[in-house]
Amino acid sequence: MRCLICHEEIIPKITWSNFWSIPEKEVLCTVCKSQFQLLKPGCTLCFREGENGVCEDCQWWEQTNPGLLAKNTSVFQYNEFAKEFVARWKYRGDYILLEALQWHVVEHFSRMRNSDCIIAPIPLSEERFSERGFNQSEAIIYLLNQRSHSLFERRNSEKQSKKGRYARITSNNPFKLTQSVRQPVILVDDIYTTGTTVRHAASLLKQAGCPAVTSFTIFR
């Protein structure tokens, strides 16, 4: 077995607990695995580390657009290693890399999932989908072994990653809701940065009668 990220050979660790059983398949070497830093819960709304209660960003959102997003749950810090991982996976098309995070992602999602919830991906424009060959949000839902419900269309193809903080939080809503929803919704995306993307989607859902919107993102 070789590491999905660095391709170094993985030597399974044999202990008394697994000596008489077939060891679980390892997909990451010890070095790469250590680079993914699990988030410690902080802000009660957005999962931002180092916060006690609600962070200043979420306080601002609640003052300007109250009640849109009940909570965001994220798994890993968006550190330099994670940025390179995302670049390889999302922008360079190394799709299989996502399997490296499956165990942690599924575990964290299972803690927040409600059986009544609809799970919806953040949509890509046709241009971005053509460039990448897949929607990263759909890929995460597939990894979670959940049913994906396409509730939105995207109006434009502007890249959020190219915008600064102020431009993001003041941007126009790029989404269009394609159907009304009367059940709670979990929005799925790869990265939570300012929270603008998921709140744009949440605002449309709430206007259409959705009782509650939460989001699940891999990186924060």
Side-chain angles (χ1 to χ4, degrees):
M1 294 179 285
R2 292 189 177 276
C3 177
L4 281 177
I5 295 177
C6 70
H7 308 300
E8 286 293 318
E9 185 178 6
I10 300 173
I11 308 299
K13 185 178 181 181
I14 305 299
T15 65
W16 284 113
S17 61
N18 66 16
F19 183 80
W20 299 107
S21 61
I22 299 174
E24 294 183 6
K25 180 182 177 182
E26 292 280 355
V27 294
L28 287 181
C29 69
T30 303
V31 174
C32 288
K33 189 183 297 184
S34 68
Q35 300 300 309
F36 289 105
Q37 299 296 310
L38 287 169
L39 284 164
K40 299 173 183 177
C43 174
T44 55
L45 287 183
C46 74
F47 233 72
R48 184 176 183 175
E49 279 195 329
E51 301 289 340
N52 184 15
V54 179
C55 71
E56 289 186 5
D57 284 0
C58 287
Q59 290 179 35
W60 181 87
W61 279 116
E62 289 303 301
Q63 290 170 3
T64 56
N65 296 278
L68 295 183
L69 190 70
K71 185 177 182 179
N72 170 71
T73 296
S74 299
V75 184
F76 297 106
Q77 296 176 12
Y78 193 46
N79 56 22
E80 291 304 315
F81 188 83
K83 289 178 183 178
E84 176 58 24
F85 175 89
V86 170
R88 283 179 56 185
W89 167 57
K90 186 163 74 170
Y91 301 120
R92 300 176 209 154
D94 204 348
Y95 185 92
I96 197 172
L97 281 180
L98 192 59
E99 292 184 13
L101 307 181
Q102 185 170 19
W103 190 88
H104 283 299
V105 171
V106 171
E107 182 190 32
H108 278 72
F109 183 79
S110 66
R111 297 175 188 171
M112 65 170 289
R113 190 187 186 288
N114 184 309
S115 59
D116 295 331
C117 288
I118 288 176
I119 303 169
I122 297 297
L124 285 182
S125 66
E126 292 184 6
E127 180 183 349
R128 295 289 166 256
F129 186 84
S130 179
E131 286 177 358
R132 299 173 189 173
F134 68 96
N135 179 335
Q136 68 273 8
S137 300
E138 291 273 9
I140 296 168
I141 296 173
Y142 180 80
L143 186 78
L144 294 167
N145 196 28
Q146 300 293 325
R147 181 185 174 190
S148 176
H149 294 76
S150 296
L151 304 180
F152 307 95
E153 293 178 353
R154 191 158 196 135
R155 301 174 188 270
N156 60 54
S157 58
E158 286 186 301
K159 289 185 177 181
Q160 289 293 316
S161 60
K162 299 296 183 182
K163 293 181 179 179
R165 175 178 175 75
Y166 182 77
R168 289 189 188 202
I169 63 176
T170 58
S171 61
N172 294 324
N173 197 325
F175 305 126
K176 175 184 176 182
L177 189 66
T178 58
Q179 56 183 291
S180 60
V181 179
R182 302 297 178 184
Q183 295 170 252
V185 171
I186 300 176
L187 299 170
V188 173
D189 205 5
D190 56 339
I191 305 167
Y192 183 107
T193 306
T194 63
T196 304
T197 298
V198 290
R199 282 183 174 83
H200 276 323
S203 68
L204 298 177
L205 289 167
K206 297 288 283 187
Q207 290 169 22
C210 177
V213 184
T214 55
S215 63
F216 178 78
T217 53
I218 294 181
F219 299 104
R220 171 71 173 90

